[in-house]
Amino acid sequence: MNGGMSSVMLVARREIATHIRTKAFLLGLLITAVLVGGVAFAPKVFDRPDSYKIGTVHSQQLPLKAAAPEAEFEWRAFPDEAAAKKAVLDGDVDAALIDNTKVLTDGEIESELGVLLQSTSRELKLGAAGVQVQPLQMVSVGADTRYQAARTGIAVVLVVVLFMLIIGQVMMVAMGVVEEKGSRIVEILLTSVRPWQLLAGKIIGLGALGLINLVTILVVGVSASVVSGVAVDFPPGLPGIVAGVLVWFVLGYAFFATLAAALSSLVSRQEEVGNVMSPLTMLMMVTYFGAFYVTSDPTGPLARVVSLVPPFSSMVMPVRMAAADVPFWEVGLSMVLMVLAVLGVLSFGAKVYERAVLRTGARVKLRDVLRVK
Amino acid sequence: MLEISELRKRFAGGPDAPEGKVALDGISFVVRPGEMFGFVGANGAGKTTTMRIVMGVLQPDAGSVSWQSRALEYADRRRFGYMPEERGLYQKMRVADQVEYFGRLHGMDVAAARAATGDLLERLGLTERRGDAVEALSLGNQQRVQLAVALVHDPEVLVLDEPFSGLDPIAVDALATVLQERCRGGVPVIFSSHQLELVERLCDSVGIVSAGRMVASGTVGDLRAVEGRTLRVVVRDPAPGWADGLPGTVTVTGDRHVLLATDGDDQEILRRAMKAGQVEHFGTEQPTLTEIFKEAVA
Ligand SMILES: Nc1ncnc2c1ncn2[C@@H]1O[C@H](COP(=O)(O)OP(=O)(O)OP(=O)(O)O)[C@@H](O)[C@H]1O
Ligand SMILES: [Mg+2]
């Protein structure tokens, strides 16, 4: 016979089968994939590496490339200082080196180029005078900041993606619950499945759709980054970050979706969903803004505290993990607290849902549902 | 045997009726295996409330429902077939997918659910619409899908709330045939209806409910016996006062006198009638279920 779990799976499968065929789902998937792909290519388009045009008059080309391997240098020789001056003023070159002794610029010189020219020329002259200069050895004793820009970028994209996916799937759970309640399908369903099975199946099915979406986004995002070359800037812990995102999505979604199912089981009409869900929507928005704030200050005290407190941690922690290195114990503690919160919400939500879902008609008061019979 | 005993249910009233509304006032009846039980009663009498309690959708304030001499449980209800008064289907789901899905939820494997679905859709005349979304069907056809959903898992008991309403005569016959077959297979069938001729034609027994109480129940024959037979005599152009002293009432239409009597010596009545004039009709009449119903709920 049919065990409890297989009923859950049947319900979940129906949710997946009905939604995956819809235009809305496919279109949504396509749009997010294109957007994320676009984001991965954007740095290549907008953020070209530094390149300088330098004019020379009676001067040799300095070995700038050795000092700044990522920058591009283009050299142009001019017959005299007047010609070089005109080129600088016209913006044809960024600077002009005259007789190996002075540099012409239009206004203040860009600091990086100035430092480069200054130090390279000094080194050259010292070398010519027979002085060997040991280059300074750079040792970082703080966090590795090489990837900071990329990490912040990933974190920002993550916030948006996690929020959109969670709120989208959670709303679908709410609308699905009301569809079944309002049309009285529950009356037939509940003669063959338990309320918790129906609830679990719906949450799992719609969550699986969310995961399909998320995995698509991650795959498209990472592959597009590799293709565009942005991926070279990615921090080495990327697989860990990706795995973490999946786990946090599941936890956050389970939390909010269960509450959404419980709240929406109180009403019988789709028009009432927005109203009954508003406290939960508010909570999700607060979580979202919190996570967004953390992208700019991932190591501050607020970030550290909020990334431990459920349900905020479900969005704040993955973002913080992407934006900065988080001590292992903090991640562990945050996850344990979130799992406990999810378990609590599940038992509360299942109770509310079970008691309210057959009470059609006027909106059921949460107080009445919770009152022990 | 499905046994409903002493069910009571009061709904909480609104601000205008703080004392609430008694929907069921100790209703009791039994439905035996292979019995088709017609549940009739005026609007608001309590039929739907009773069926919802049987199916576990509502909890009674008092009383119980038992099946096979044990208190009815969730595991039993999973093998019941139920058609609620307020129809509910997934509007966007395809007809065959939907029926099959409910079969699967009741524990059938894929092959069995698919076969039963195909068979039922055929019998209910829905084979051509099997790939359509439910919302694209007419109301009557949606109702047929609803019936298929109630029947797909070959239920042990059928509880159908107004299954015939909204069906065309062809569909009524198709459904009646399906229900009679299930019944012959030993399944107790209980259905509510306002179409009393249909109930009279199909049902082995009938329960008449009024204001939350069962006011009459039994086979249609039993109910008639309680109600009593009526003797009907038509005499043409009799002498005035011919029926003086006889039981019953006389109505006069033109030169025809019609005597209706529920008791008295029929031979004596016949003799008097023949003496008085030309007897055109003499016989006993069965009251229709409608007449019994009106009498019972009056
Ligand atoms: N959810 C409810 N809340 C309050 N009163 C209710 C509720 N459901 C039913 N009632 C009341 O209970 C009584 C019995 O209703 P029920 O629906 O059982 O009647 P019925 O016999 O099925 O009528 P109909 O033939 O119109 O379907 C009615 O007076 C109805 O107003
Ligand atoms: Mg009714």
Side-chain angles (χ1 to χ4, degrees), chain A residues 126-175:
Chain A
L126 286 170
V131 181
Q132 286 296 329
V133 184
Q134 277 299 346
L136 287 178
Q137 202 187 344
M138 303 291 178
V139 180
S140 167
V141 291
D144 189 347
T145 55
R146 257 180 309 170
Y147 304 108
Q148 199 47 60
R151 293 187 86 155
T152 307
I154 293 173
V156 169
V157 173
L158 259 186
V159 180
V160 178
V161 165
L162 276 177
F163 174 71
M164 296 301 265
L165 272 183
I166 287 184
I167 201 164
Q169 296 311 105
V170 161
M171 282 324 270
M172 279 170 77
V173 169
M175 289 186 325

Side-chain angles (χ1 to χ4, degrees), chain A residues 360-361, chain B residues 9-13 20-24 39-52 58 85 161-162 192-194 209 212:
Chain A
T360 37
Chain B
K9 179 76 188 177
R10 175 197 290 272
F11 287 105
K21 159 90 199 166
V22 174
L24 296 183
F39 205 22
V40 302
N43 293 135
K47 304 178 294 295
T48 298
T49 306
T50 306
M51 291 173 138
R52 286 162 65 101
L58 272 181
E85 177 174 57
D161 204 347
E162 303 196 20
S192 65
S193 179
H194 293 296
V209 56

Side-chain angles (χ1 to χ4, degrees), chain A residues 91-133:
Chain A
D92 290 345
V93 294
D94 298 305
L97 179 62
I98 314 293
D99 300 327
N100 284 331
T101 54
K102 71 176 172 191
V103 174
L104 301 184
T105 60
D106 185 6
E108 197 151 342
I109 189 164
E110 202 185 315
S111 61
E112 192 185 7
L113 184 58
V115 171
L116 266 177
L117 286 168
Q118 200 62 272
S119 67
T120 314
S121 143
R122 194 176 300 144
E123 222 170 288
L124 216 60
K125 284 173 185 158
L126 286 170
V131 181
Q132 286 296 329
V133 184

Side-chain angles (χ1 to χ4, degrees), chain B residues 4 9 13 30 57 139 147 170 177 219 266 272 278 286 298:
Chain B
I4 285 96
K9 179 76 188 177
V30 296
V57 175
L139 210 57
L147 284 162
I170 312 285
T177 311
T219 65
D266 50 5
R272 290 273 295 273
Q278 186 188 346
Q286 306 272 20

Side-chain angles (χ1 to χ4, degrees), chain A residues 1-3 7 10-15 18 21 179-180 182-185 187-194 197-198 202 358 360 373, chain B residues 52 55-57 74 77-80 82 84-94 97-98 101-102 104-108 146 149:
Chain A
M1 275 308 282
N2 208 332
S7 293
L10 277 171
V11 175
R13 267 230 318 265
R14 196 202 77 86
E15 293 294 338
T18 25
R21 276 203 294 253
E179 180 199 0
E180 283 171 354
S183 66
R184 316 296 172 103
I185 302 173
E187 282 197 21
I188 322 173
L189 286 171
L190 291 186
T191 60
S192 53
V193 296
R194 294 292 202 183
Q197 294 173 323
L198 189 56
K202 183 170 286 298
L358 285 174
T360 37
K373 283 189 242 176
Chain B
R52 286 162 65 101
M55 289 314 295
V57 175
Y74 167 76
R77 291 193 180 103
R78 275 197 84 194
R79 300 190 301 273
F80 283 24
Y82 176 43
E85 177 174 57
E86 295 212 37
R87 320 299 192 210
L89 294 168
Y90 291 107
Q91 290 293 318
K92 307 233 176 276
M93 211 171 168
R94 294 194 204 122
D97 289 352
Q98 181 134 222
Y101 174 62
F102 279 99
R104 298 272 286 137
L105 281 184
H106 280 282
M108 300 174 96
Q146 193 85 53
V149 163

